Structures are given as structure tokens and as C-alpha cells.
Amino acid sequence: MMRTKPLTAQARVALASGAPLAVVAWVSAVAALYLFAGAGAWAAGFTASGEVLGFLPDPAYAAGVSGCGAAEAIAVAALAHAAVLPVAAVAVAYLVLREGFSSGAATVSFARGARRGAWLARSAAIVSASVAVPFAAMSLVAACALGAASGAAPAAVAKELLPRLAVAALVAASLACLSVAAFALLGVGPFAATAVIVLAVAGLVSQMSGAPVPTHMGALAVACGIGTASQLPAQALFAAVTAAAELAFAFVAIQKRA
């Protein structure tokens, strides 16, 4: 009999965790957010050099306050639901890791000689994919819907959207790794989940106040902002570096677990 591959086994645990239902709830919540978005921004602010950072779900409002073109306004509107990424990342990570430990699957894997680092890497990959892939899919659907409604050229929208989407997806994966690290360090429970949400909110407040401290929500505000194309490489680097650091902390913590 063939042995089940470790990644396949952990993916099955993730599917049994309720994470798929959490993703469905997330998609539904985003659809409702856009349906009742109205005119304006969920959170936005001007920089001294004229960029608009934040989450602007209404293309008409984005173009009106910034003077940007229709394609850029649609691109940032399609990404505005990144504002709820921290909650999605926490929920998915919580369900996947809770199932892994509460079901005994993680303990059994460790007892059979599975390396904790490899187990952690697989868990982080599953959680990151479960956050970044639905986020990217929802963004593309939103861009198509908004573009069709406005009559904007698809190629122009894609040119504005894809670089921003790539960076935002990287930040989404980093947020997923942050959630995994928090649960590894603080235990799979409400305390760690609250800590991540508070950190995200503090990061958004910091970004909106113009503080130069790099944060996940600040990186998302840039990726979802107007006139910020030149800043995207720096945000991508931030996402990669923080994800690596988060996994390093999580590895240290997971080594101490049974």
C-alpha cells in the first residue's frame, strides 16, 4: 500500500478543519461589502506627494478625489477588499492549526519522525495558499465586473491591476505566515487571533497617520492605492522578508511543542 504523502495528508486535515467554509463565508462577506459599498472609501489618506493610500471600492470616487484614469480607479477598487485580509488570514490559520493539533494529526506526524520544520512549512504553505488564492480570484472577478460596468479597456485595467495584485497577494501570504507564527508562539486560541487583528489595525492607523513604520496593512494600503506604482517593489520585498522572519519565529516555537 502506498503511503500518503505528507502534504496530501495535511491538505486533508485542512479540508476537514472547516477552512473551506470559512473561505466561502469570506467570499460572501466581500460580495456584500461591494454591494453596499456606496460612494467613498473604506479607509484612505493622501500623502504629502499626492498619492492616495488605502482602500477605495468605488471607482468613481477614486477618480474624483485623485484625478486618476478609469483603469487605475477600477484596479484599486477591485483590490479594496484587501482591507479584510487580516481577519481572513487569522480565521483560516486558526482552523487549520487547531484541527492539526486537536485531532492529534500533528502529534502523530511528529511521533512518526516527521520534521517539525517540514510540518510547519507545509502548514504555512496550505494556509498561505488558502488566503492568497481566493483573494486573487476575488480581485480578478471584481475587476472584470467593474470593468464591464464602466466600459474600460480590459488591457488597460490588467496593466494597472496585475502588478498591484501580485504585491497584495504576497502581503496576503505574509499575513497568513504572521497568523501561523502567532498561533505557534501563543497557542491556537483567541489570544493569538486577537493579537494579530490588533497588530493589523494598529498598522492601518499608523499608515493612515503617515508614520514611516512598515506594516502589513501599510503595504496593502500602498498596493491598493493610487499613484503608488513606484513603491510596489519595496512592498513586495517587505512581504518576503516578513514572511521569512515570521516562519523563523514559528519554527523556534514549534520545536518546543509535543
Side-chain angles (χ1 to χ4, degrees), residues 147-184:
S150 69
V157 174
K159 182 180 178 181
E160 296 287 349
L161 174 68
L162 295 182
R164 290 177 167 84
L165 176 57
V167 173
L170 280 174
V171 179
S174 183
L175 272 168
C177 291
L178 174 64
S179 300
V180 169
F183 289 125

Side-chain angles (χ1 to χ4, degrees), residues 67-141:
C68 70
E72 187 173 11
I74 290 170
V76 299
L79 292 170
H81 64 104
V84 300
L85 267 175
V87 177
V90 165
V92 172
Y94 171 78
L95 291 169
V96 171
L97 294 184
R98 183 193 64 175
E99 181 68 19
F101 285 113
S102 67
S103 69
T107 304
V108 170
S109 295
F110 298 155
R112 290 177 176 176
R115 294 182 180 274
R116 285 169 171 77
W119 183 91
L120 173 66
R122 290 191 294 269
S123 297
I126 290 169
V127 174
S128 295
S130 299
V131 174
V133 172
F135 168 74
M138 285 187 281
S139 299
L140 292 172
V141 169

Side-chain angles (χ1 to χ4, degrees), residues 17 22 106 121 158 246-247 251:
S17 69
E246 290 151 5
L247 290 180
F251 175 71

Side-chain angles (χ1 to χ4, degrees), residues 150-237:
S150 69
V157 174
K159 182 180 178 181
E160 296 287 349
L161 174 68
L162 295 182
R164 290 177 167 84
L165 176 57
V167 173
L170 280 174
V171 179
S174 183
L175 272 168
C177 291
L178 174 64
S179 300
V180 169
F183 289 125
L185 286 165
L186 304 175
V188 185
F191 181 71
T194 302
V196 175
I197 297 300
V198 169
L199 187 63
V201 172
L204 179 59
V205 172
S206 173
Q207 182 65 63
M208 293 298 104
S209 65
V213 180
T215 65
H216 290 86
M217 290 304 289
L220 286 175
V222 171
C224 301
I226 296 170
T228 59
S230 64
Q231 301 179 44
L232 294 179
Q235 308 311 318
L237 178 61

